[in-house]
Amino acid sequence: MATAREVAEKAERDDIRSRWLLSTPALLIVFLAALGPLLIVVVYSFLTPGNYGDVKWQFSTDPWVSVLFERDVFDDTLSFATAYLSIFWRSVSLSLATTLLTLILGFPTAYFIATRPDHRRDIWLFLITIPFWTNLLIRTFAMQQVLRNDGIVNSVLQLLGITDHPVQLMYTNFAVLAGMVYVFLPLMVLPLYASMEKIDFRLVEAGYDLYATRFQVLRRIIIPLVTPGIVAGSILVFIPSLGAYVTPRVLGGGTNLMIGNLIELQFGQGRNWPLGAALSITLMAIVMMALLFYVRNTTRSDGAHG
Amino acid sequence: MFSHSYHLMVRIKLVSRLPPVNDHAGEGNILTAIRPAVEAKGVTRIFRGTGQDSVRALDNVSVAIRENEFFTLLGPSGCGKTTLLRLIAGFDYPTDGEIQLYGQDIAPLPPFKRPVNTVFQSYALFPHMTVAENIGFGLKMLGKPKAEIEARVDAMLKLVHMQELKNRRTSQISGGQQQRVALARALAPQPKVLLLDEPLSALDYKLRKEMQIELKRLQHETGITFIFVTHDQEEALTMSDRIAVMSAGNILQVGTPWDVYDHPAERFVADFIGETNFLTGMVESAGNGQARIALRSGAKICATAAAGFRAGGNATLMVRPEHAKLVKGRGDLTGTIETIVYFGTDTHIHVRLDEGDVFMVRQQNSRSASCGFENGDKVGISIGDDAAQVLKD
């Protein structure tokens, strides 16, 4: 006869086993789709490049060294190379600028939508998401048509007599920035809208009632309450713009590379897969650090109130 | 035009910077004699819908609210009471008319330039701030020094008995406590007028009773004019100095609780406040504030009547259930008891009159005896000389 205690223990063991069995599919997907490929990239970054792409199974730290340093062809001495670093720097600063601009443009947009009557909000949200239905490449080429020397912007500028010759807009950092803001704006507006929609607008009235001006209501009531949306939107914009590939390629030309283009170059024409792998991991590390920094800062400022 | 409105803003600023209320309590009486604290003059608010349909939420409303008064706007939902309150607060602007605060038209001013604060129905406490930060918000926005804010917040916390919960988040306190914080927050900047938009409707019965007393105490202690909006006639009767009864965008009657209960101006007021029996009859003679009415049953009753009723006309009579008396045998009216409802303090007896209507009588209970009547009893109802009133329809 099994005692009550033994029965309870067996039930608990069964429970644990069935929990493991049930979570197996999820764990499998996480491993195959995320951890596995990542592991391969890490391994590749410590190998030697093959002659025609691919890798030779020969351990080497060269890919990591060349992320920061340049080996002299003649005497093998290492010198600090700023080429990749400057591309990283451009990527980070362009992504930060994109995040900031989408926030500045997206905040009033989301506020506008959130303050419409219920039945009209859907229409505005629909309009915001329409660009998503078009291929990214096509949207980027459309932007090219706008920024070309004989594009809309230059035509209007000349028509108004502001300049007498076309201003070079294409293949500049400005073009890349404009393209990325255009592409990523909906990703900022939607989370902002989601958190603004939840605001009880009687709180705004209460603010006015307690002598807060419009600006003070914005600063002390609305912004603190939509902080989760600002954080989510910023992350959603910053991370993909850091890895943006199509936009800088089409609008920035060959001279305004971003990390995404650099990595693509190593796996394609450069035939240096290990270096591409090392650069990918560096990019991921930057993203992780940015996320950690962001999350820690926002939770701290949140905690300061309590 | 510009200089006028600028002058006005300066005046309002001065008003809001006046010393604490107690300091000018003495001269307040003189002010009351000259002009009221808040006065609506011919205020109309029309909400335009899509196309042709528009709603006249307030229709040429005029009312004067005295200083230091607990004034209640009472009426069913949709009568315009909240609209009037929002116009005084500044969340909305009148289509026509003036809203005066101590003689100055404040209707065009935004809410943050009016020395008026609101306690919201939903409290509208800031969820990202502590109790103390909520209470200090108004003072902070007025640019008061930190030490003054802290002292004032502490005084407010003491006033509403919430000292221990100072640093709690508003989500961590109960409904009744949130109500107190909302009150303290609105009182902290020492407004000239405090507006309360059905502040007790979210509380349970016992807490509501408690807060009614609490509100009266606060009003007494602070000496601030309270304008209170409610649809609960009992709440209005127990708390107010004066009540304005509203219906469909109009004020029907302004008066003390006793006025509106015992001397309603018209049928709607009598019906809305308390329970009432209505009888129809013919005026036999009228004059000197009294009328003699012949009821359909043949009985003749003396009733108070306003001027304007003439002999020979039809009249509606109202009799409060507690002013009628049930008698065995013949009274002014006769009928059969249909239901007897026991309420603890009193008993409601519904009598089906011989003419067909139901008449309710309220009888005080005593500990030792039952009400003395049974369902199905044939009874008489006697109506005293001072029990009935003739009403305008």
Side-chain angles (χ1 to χ4, degrees):
Chain A
M1 267 293 273
T3 64
R5 191 194 175 130
E6 279 167 349
V7 171
E9 275 171 2
K10 187 177 181 304
E12 198 179 320
R13 273 200 308 277
D14 286 353
D15 198 32
I16 290 169
R17 190 185 304 151
S18 67
R19 249 185 266 168
W20 272 106
L21 272 172
L22 285 171
S23 42
T24 305
L27 290 174
L28 218 63
I29 287 171
V30 168
F31 182 79
L32 287 180
L35 288 177
L38 195 64
L39 221 65
I40 294 173
V41 176
V42 172
V43 170
Y44 270 32
S45 73
F46 288 101
L47 296 176
T48 313
N51 289 333
Y52 306 101
D54 212 335
V55 286
K56 275 194 253 175
W57 283 87
Q58 198 169 43
F59 178 80
S60 161
T61 53
D62 277 0
W64 283 102
V65 171
S66 52
V67 169
L68 282 182
F69 299 100
E70 204 168 20
R71 195 179 290 277
D72 196 283
V73 189
F74 298 107
D75 56 9
D76 264 8
T77 51
L78 290 173
S79 55
F80 193 70
T82 54
Y84 297 155
L85 217 59
S86 74
I87 292 173
F88 269 93
W89 173 240
R90 177 186 298 124
S91 296
V92 170
S93 50
L94 272 176
S95 301
L96 282 176
T98 305
T99 311
L100 201 69
L101 276 174
T102 49
L103 184 60
I104 290 169
L105 292 173
F107 196 94
T109 312
Y111 189 84
F112 173 82
I113 300 173
T115 48
R116 291 313 96 189
D118 278 347
H119 58 280
R120 296 231 188 94
R121 291 183 197 171
D122 292 342
I123 299 167
W124 289 107
L125 284 176
F126 172 73
L127 289 174
I128 288 283
T129 46
I130 278 185
F132 275 142
W133 301 8
T134 320
N135 184 289
L136 173 63
L137 204 58
I138 293 170
R139 273 185 285 159
T140 313
F141 276 112
M143 202 63 189
Q144 194 180 36
Q145 298 306 306
V146 174
L147 297 175
R148 267 182 330 159
N149 278 0
D150 51 354
I152 297 168
V153 174
N154 271 312
S155 305
V156 170
L157 283 180
Q158 285 173 57
L159 209 68
L160 294 176
I162 294 169
T163 74
D164 52 357
H165 59 278
V167 181
Q168 179 65 39
L169 295 171
M170 279 301 291
Y171 313 123
T172 61
N173 279 340
F174 170 78
V176 177
L177 188 61
M180 292 212 296
V181 167
Y182 167 59
V183 167
F184 290 121
L185 189 59
L187 291 179
M188 181 62 89
V189 172
L190 294 178
L192 278 178
Y193 166 77
S195 58
M196 275 183 199
E197 188 205 31
K198 276 183 258 159
I199 294 185
D200 179 356
F201 276 90
R202 277 168 299 195
L203 294 177
V204 174
E205 279 190 352
Y208 286 138
D209 188 60
L210 292 161
Y211 312 109
T213 58
R214 286 175 186 86
F215 176 73
Q216 283 167 324
V217 165
L218 179 71
R219 193 167 87 96
R220 307 219 177 248
I221 297 167
I222 297 174
I223 289 181
L225 289 175
V226 295
T227 300
I230 296 176
V231 172
S234 301
I235 289 172
L236 278 179
V237 170
F238 181 74
I239 291 172
S241 42
L242 204 53
Y245 164 70
V246 171
T247 312
R249 176 74 183 265
V250 174
L251 298 176
T255 50
N256 291 286
L257 289 182
M258 284 179 65
I259 310 172
N261 307 99
L262 183 62
I263 293 169
E264 187 261 353
L265 205 62
Q266 302 314 319
F267 283 98
Q269 291 152 300
R271 290 181 195 160
N272 194 345
W273 289 20
L275 177 59
L279 289 169
S280 303
I281 290 167
T282 313
L283 172 62
M284 228 180 72
I286 294 175
V287 170
M288 296 273 245
M289 281 193 298
L291 268 183
L292 274 177
F293 174 78
Y294 212 120
V295 168
R296 185 177 297 176
N297 267 10
T298 47
T299 47
R300 188 185 296 154
S301 67
D302 206 31
H305 289 290
Chain B
M1 183 64 202
F2 174 77
S3 70
H4 170 74
S5 64
Y6 177 70
H7 168 75
L8 204 124
M9 271 159 53
V10 172
R11 282 300 292 269
I12 294 299
K13 275 222 156 108
L14 285 177
V15 172
S16 68
R17 296 288 193 276
L18 275 176
V21 180
N22 294 337
D23 293 7
H24 63 88
E27 70 194 53
N29 298 328
I30 307 165
L31 273 176
T32 319
I34 303 166
R35 55 191 179 184
V38 177
E39 189 170 9
K41 284 187 171 170
V43 171
T44 299
R45 177 70 175 101
I46 298 167
F47 291 107
R48 301 225 178 274
T50 45
Q52 288 298 306
D53 52 303
S54 60
V55 181
R56 205 171 264 266
L58 287 174
D59 190 6
N60 196 19
V61 165
S62 295
V63 63
I65 295 157
R66 298 174 194 145
E67 190 169 51
N68 294 355
E69 182 170 43
F70 196 117
F71 191 87
T72 298
L73 299 170
L74 173 68
S77 57
C79 71
K81 55 190 193 298
T82 297
T83 304
L84 184 55
L85 198 79
R86 291 175 60 82
L87 290 177
I88 299 170
F91 303 136
D92 198 3
Y93 300 96
T95 313
D96 196 17
E98 269 189 24
I99 291 182
Q100 294 189 345
L101 186 76
Y102 291 100
Q104 301 289 326
D105 182 19
I106 56 165
L109 292 181
F112 51 85
K113 288 193 179 139
R114 302 180 183 206
V116 165
N117 289 127
T118 309
V119 178
F120 293 86
Q121 184 171 13
S122 54
Y123 315 142
L125 297 178
F126 304 126
H128 56 293
M129 295 180 200
T130 63
V131 166
E133 283 168 336
N134 262 284
I135 297 174
F137 188 84
L139 296 163
K140 197 169 165 185
M141 294 301 108
L142 285 172
K144 301 277 185 221
K146 217 171 166 192
E148 189 188 327
I149 297 177
E150 270 172 35
R152 189 99 190 102
V153 167
D154 283 337
M156 282 297 125
L157 284 164
K158 206 172 156 198
L159 187 70
V160 296
H161 311 304
M162 292 276 297
Q163 289 107 309
E164 315 83 60
L165 301 173
K166 186 177 176 178
N167 295 317
R168 290 276 192 93
R169 287 285 184 120
T170 54
S171 52
Q172 297 167 327
I173 57 177
S174 73
Q177 289 164 339
Q178 288 183 17
Q179 167 73 81
R180 285 163 192 273
V181 175
L183 263 170
R185 184 179 72 174
L187 284 171
Q190 291 168 311
K192 307 302 295 172
V193 176
L194 185 75
L195 308 175
L196 303 105
D197 185 9
E198 309 218 15
L200 308 180
S201 59
L203 303 177
D204 62 50
Y205 182 78
K206 220 174 152 198
L207 210 51
R208 198 157 67 227
K209 289 276 158 210
E210 229 175 271
M211 283 308 295
Q212 286 178 5
I213 296 164
E214 184 83 4
L215 273 178
K216 279 298 276 184
R217 176 181 73 83
L218 284 173
Q219 199 253 335
H220 188 75
E221 277 178 28
T222 57
I224 293 173
T225 310
F226 276 34
I227 304 179
F228 186 86
V229 158
T230 185
H231 64 267
D232 183 336
Q233 40 107 359
E234 192 190 317
E235 206 166 85
L237 290 176
T238 51
M239 297 173 74
S240 320
D241 292 326
R242 285 196 307 153
I243 299 172
V245 184
M246 296 183 70
S247 168
N250 288 294
I251 291 182
L252 304 180
Q253 185 176 6
V254 180
T256 62
W258 179 72
D259 275 338
V260 294
Y261 185 81
D262 270 338
H263 302 279
E266 50 193 286
R267 186 180 172 134
F268 179 89
V269 178
D271 201 17
F272 189 73
I273 297 174
E275 282 164 306
T276 315
N277 297 298
F278 293 107
L279 299 166
T280 49
M282 238 184 41
V283 182
E284 262 198 1
S285 64
N288 219 0
Q290 291 286 324
R292 216 176 141 71
I293 312 290
L295 295 179
R296 277 196 292 166
S297 64
K300 288 171 182 154
I301 293 176
C302 264
T304 52
F309 290 98
R310 292 243 178 96
N314 285 325
T316 301
L317 268 180
M318 81 153 222
V319 181
R320 295 286 184 193
E322 65 273 23
H323 295 152
K325 229 176 113 184
L326 223 50
V327 290
K328 294 193 166 140
R330 285 196 62 85
D332 297 307
L333 302 159
T334 50
T336 316
I337 294 179
E338 252 188 11
T339 19
I340 298 177
V341 188
Y342 180 74
F343 272 94
T345 53
D346 48 24
T347 302
H348 295 186
I349 302 160
H350 299 254
V351 180
R352 174 74 62 183
L353 297 178
D354 292 344
E355 293 85 45
D357 294 332
V358 172
F359 193 102
M360 192 177 86
V361 175
R362 185 182 302 172
Q363 225 177 45
Q364 191 72 33
N365 288 334
S366 73
R367 257 185 91 194
S368 46
S370 73
C371 71
F373 297 97
E374 301 261 357
N375 277 348
D377 281 1
K378 294 285 277 180
V379 289
I381 296 164
S382 106
I383 296 165
D385 277 354
D386 195 30
Q389 191 193 340
V390 187
L391 288 175
K392 271 195 301 194
D393 263 322

